[in-house]
């Protein structure tokens, strides 16, 4: 697929996302809203017959509210949206409710790629993922590490040994949690397409080079970036600094496409 075709496809996906938001916000009275999904191998004639029978039944209903949709501003209007997905939805659905059921369509638009982020500094570590336009914090924990300076009359040698031991334990805890979050227990394989390591100190480098770090995850490291913050602010900055590496992630790609669309 050429770059132009890829751009056109992603702009169409962006338009569908806007439609989904509109459908998601719409509300009706009773069971006036119909959600219909026709899978690829289904017979149109069968669906048409079913809908014809439903229309016959509905014609006997005199209540106007069962044929209208109420929008947020209180006005009533009829709404019909037909969406042909760019990939098949292998599920069928016919449901009458007071809202549209767009779950299957939303799942279809999610990016197949999921990237893991480990943001590690002297105050703690955050584990997160980025998939499509969804950023998720999986877990975060704080750590209290001793500073470099000797306090309380301790011998410098003993203090240095304790400090190194706590750093070692901190790195070990981080690599153990990384395996827990980014390795699928059922398949024993990584559940992310790549890993980004970030931090404001040298912990991220120490982590990437650690013998304790799971080799299955080490092979997935795409980038090691310096960030000015830890925690969620560092997570956001790591995403921004990894634009080139994550160029196929929809969260970033969508911003570029929308810019081109409105040029």
């Amino acid at each position: 697929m050429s770059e132009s075709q890829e751009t056109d496809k992603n702009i169409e996906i962006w338009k569908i996302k806007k439609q989904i938001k509109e459908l998601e916000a719409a509300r009706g009275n009773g069971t006036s809203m119909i959600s219909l999904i026709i899978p690829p191998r289904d017979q149109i004639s069968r669906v048409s017959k079913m809908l014809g029978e439903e229309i016959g039944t509905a014609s006997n209903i005199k209540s106007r509210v069962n044929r209208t949709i109420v929008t947020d501003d209180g006005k009533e209007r009829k709404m019909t949206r037909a969406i042909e997905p760019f990939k098949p939805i292998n599920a069928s659905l016919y449901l009458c409710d007071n809202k549209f059921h767009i779950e299957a369509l939303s799942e279809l638009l999610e990016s197949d790629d999921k990237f893991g982020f480990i943001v590690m500094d002297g105050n703690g570590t955050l584990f997160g993922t980025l998939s499509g336009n969804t950023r998720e914090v999986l877990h975060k924990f704080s750590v209290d590490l001793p500073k470099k300076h000797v306090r309380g009359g301790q011998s410098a040698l003993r203090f240095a040994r304790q400090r190194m031991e706590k750093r070692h334990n901190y790195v070990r805890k981080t690599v153990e949690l990384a395996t827990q979050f980014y390795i699928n227990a059922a398949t024993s394989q990584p559940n992310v397409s790549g890993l980004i390591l970030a931090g404001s100190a040298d912990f991220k480098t120490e982590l990437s080079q650690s013998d304790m770090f799971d080799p299955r995850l080490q092979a997935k490291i795409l980038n090691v970036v310096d960030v000015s913050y830890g925690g969620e602010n560092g997570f956001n900055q790591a995403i921004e600094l990894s634009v080139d590496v994550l160029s196929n992630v929809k969260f970033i790609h969508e911003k570029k496409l929308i810019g081109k669309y409105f040029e």
Side-chain angles (χ1 to χ4, degrees), residues 57-67:
T57 302
S59 63
N60 296 322
I61 300 175
K62 303 303 181 182
S63 175
R64 181 168 54 90
V65 297
N66 286 334
R67 298 190 297 273

Side-chain angles (χ1 to χ4, degrees), residues 33-125:
M33 303 178 73
I34 301 173
S35 302
L36 175 66
I37 298 177
I38 306 174
R41 293 180 178 82
D42 204 349
Q43 298 294 322
I44 298 296
S45 58
R46 183 197 70 80
V47 178
S48 297
K49 181 182 177 182
M50 178 193 69
L51 292 176
E53 293 172 351
E54 291 291 328
I55 291 172
T57 302
S59 63
N60 296 322
I61 300 175
K62 303 303 181 182
S63 175
R64 181 168 54 90
V65 297
N66 286 334
R67 298 190 297 273
T68 57
I69 291 173
V70 180
T71 58
D72 292 337
D73 58 5
K75 296 179 181 178
E76 296 179 350
R77 64 188 175 95
K78 292 183 179 180
M79 173 187 283
T80 303
R81 294 290 183 272
I83 300 175
E84 182 178 353
F86 61 95
K87 289 193 296 186
I89 298 178
N90 295 311
S92 60
L93 177 70
Y94 177 76
L95 190 60
C96 300
D97 202 349
N98 67 341
K99 64 180 181 179
F100 289 123
H101 288 262
I102 46 80
E103 295 85 359
L105 197 58
S106 296
E107 290 175 4
L108 185 71
L109 294 176
E110 290 182 0
S111 172
D112 294 331
D113 291 327
K114 181 168 68 174
F115 294 88
F117 283 77
I118 301 176
V119 183
M120 185 181 188
D121 64 8
N123 297 313
T125 298

Side-chain angles (χ1 to χ4, degrees), residues 1-13 253 257 260-261:
M1 184 181 294
S2 68
E3 183 178 348
S4 176
Q5 289 174 319
E6 181 72 15
T7 299
D8 290 342
K9 174 186 172 183
N10 282 284
I11 288 175
E12 287 302 313
I13 293 173
H253 208 183
L257 292 170
K260 290 180 181 179
Y261 182 67

Side-chain angles (χ1 to χ4, degrees), residues 55-258:
I55 291 172
T57 302
S59 63
N60 296 322
I61 300 175
K62 303 303 181 182
S63 175
R64 181 168 54 90
V65 297
N66 286 334
R67 298 190 297 273
T68 57
I69 291 173
V70 180
T71 58
D72 292 337
D73 58 5
K75 296 179 181 178
E76 296 179 350
R77 64 188 175 95
K78 292 183 179 180
M79 173 187 283
T80 303
R81 294 290 183 272
I83 300 175
E84 182 178 353
F86 61 95
K87 289 193 296 186
I89 298 178
N90 295 311
S92 60
L93 177 70
Y94 177 76
L95 190 60
C96 300
D97 202 349
N98 67 341
K99 64 180 181 179
F100 289 123
H101 288 262
I102 46 80
E103 295 85 359
L105 197 58
S106 296
E107 290 175 4
L108 185 71
L109 294 176
E110 290 182 0
S111 172
D112 294 331
D113 291 327
K114 181 168 68 174
F115 294 88
F117 283 77
I118 301 176
V119 183
M120 185 181 188
D121 64 8
N123 297 313
T125 298
L126 177 146
F127 301 88
T129 58
L130 177 68
S131 179
N133 63 354
T134 303
R135 183 191 71 101
E136 181 180 3
V137 175
L138 302 177
H139 180 70
K140 53 185 176 181
F141 70 93
S142 300
V143 66
D144 185 17
L145 297 175
K147 305 301 181 183
K148 292 184 179 180
H149 304 292
V150 178
R151 287 181 277 178
Q154 285 183 305
S155 69
L157 186 60
R158 181 185 175 191
F159 182 84
R161 185 171 62 248
Q162 289 179 340
R163 180 172 176 273
M164 291 303 297
E165 182 179 346
K166 288 189 176 183
R167 284 176 63 97
H168 176 81
N169 290 338
Y170 175 37
V171 173
R172 182 174 61 186
K173 181 178 180 179
T174 300
V175 298
E176 289 174 352
L177 288 172
T179 300
Q180 176 182 326
F181 291 120
Y182 302 124
I183 295 292
N184 186 316
T187 63
S188 296
Q189 295 300 318
N191 59 19
V192 291
S193 299
L195 269 180
I196 306 294
L197 306 185
S200 57
D202 58 351
F203 281 107
K204 59 187 180 298
T205 304
E206 188 174 338
L207 175 66
S208 67
Q209 298 173 353
S210 173
D211 294 335
M212 297 181 290
F213 199 31
D214 194 309
R216 294 168 295 181
L217 294 179
Q218 272 186 326
K220 289 290 184 178
I221 296 175
L222 299 176
N223 205 10
V224 180
V225 297
D226 287 307
V227 293
S228 304
Y229 316 96
E232 296 198 36
N233 288 334
F235 187 12
N236 291 333
Q237 191 177 16
I239 293 174
E240 294 174 3
L241 293 174
S242 301
V243 169
D244 291 338
V245 176
L246 306 178
S247 59
N248 291 324
V249 179
K250 302 303 180 184
F251 182 79
I252 295 167
H253 208 183
E254 190 175 89
K255 289 183 178 180
K256 295 181 179 179
L257 292 170
I258 291 173

